[in-house]
Amino acid sequence: MSLIDTLNADLKSAMKARDKAKLSVVRMLKAAVTNRQIKLGHDLNDQEALAVLTSELKQRKESLAEFQKAGRDDLVTPLQQEIKIVEHYLPQQMTEAEVSGLVNKTVASLNATSTKDFGKVMQTLMPQVKGKADGALVNRLVKAALTK
């Protein structure tokens, strides 16, 4: 079952269960996917749909950080629930240790020794972790590995 089919099925089940929170989030995710389909002019494959959901998750996490910094606790709790619902549709995220091991392996295989090799390492590494790890985490770990 494709990601878009899963969203459609979950939309129906949320309607039947009268789960307003999940219904709202799933509708928003479907709208984001549909907007991307219209923009690209073709149906999305699972990788493209996953990229849309990843960007939606990133937006929510950024908003969550801003709301927490501003002390807006009334907005923090609903946003945390939204984040959990969006994460349900994404693949299991890699731990920092797993990403670090992959970074060290990639750095060693490319014989990267300085920050000049940063782009080469990131170009090789990102397709392997796309959707499974946060880009900021990968960026930070690659910089740390190259400045040892």
Side-chain angles (χ1 to χ4, degrees), residues 76-112:
V76 169
T77 305
L79 199 54
Q80 288 172 331
Q81 291 173 342
E82 282 186 26
I83 288 171
K84 285 180 186 174
I85 293 169
V86 175
E87 285 175 339
H88 168 75
Y89 297 103
L90 297 173
Q92 181 66 35
Q93 295 292 298
M94 297 172 75
T95 64
E96 187 167 341
E98 291 171 331
V99 175
S100 182
L102 196 55
V103 166
N104 291 334
K105 184 176 146 188
T106 304
V107 167
S109 71
L110 294 174
N111 295 323

Side-chain angles (χ1 to χ4, degrees), residues 28 53-69 75-76 78-88 90-94 131-137:
M28 176 274 312
L53 297 188
T54 303
S55 71
E56 291 293 325
L57 180 65
K58 183 178 177 185
Q59 287 175 0
R60 274 157 187 70
K61 285 185 175 182
E62 289 171 356
S63 296
L64 181 65
E66 291 297 319
F67 291 156
Q68 287 173 333
K69 192 167 72 172
L75 298 174
V76 169
L79 199 54
Q80 288 172 331
Q81 291 173 342
E82 282 186 26
I83 288 171
K84 285 180 186 174
I85 293 169
V86 175
E87 285 175 339
H88 168 75
L90 297 173
Q92 181 66 35
Q93 295 292 298
M94 297 172 75
K132 298 181 213 163
D134 182 37
L137 171 67

Side-chain angles (χ1 to χ4, degrees), residues 4-15:
I4 296 169
D5 293 337
T6 303
L7 284 173
N8 286 329
D10 286 353
L11 181 70
K12 289 177 188 174
S13 66
M15 282 180 183

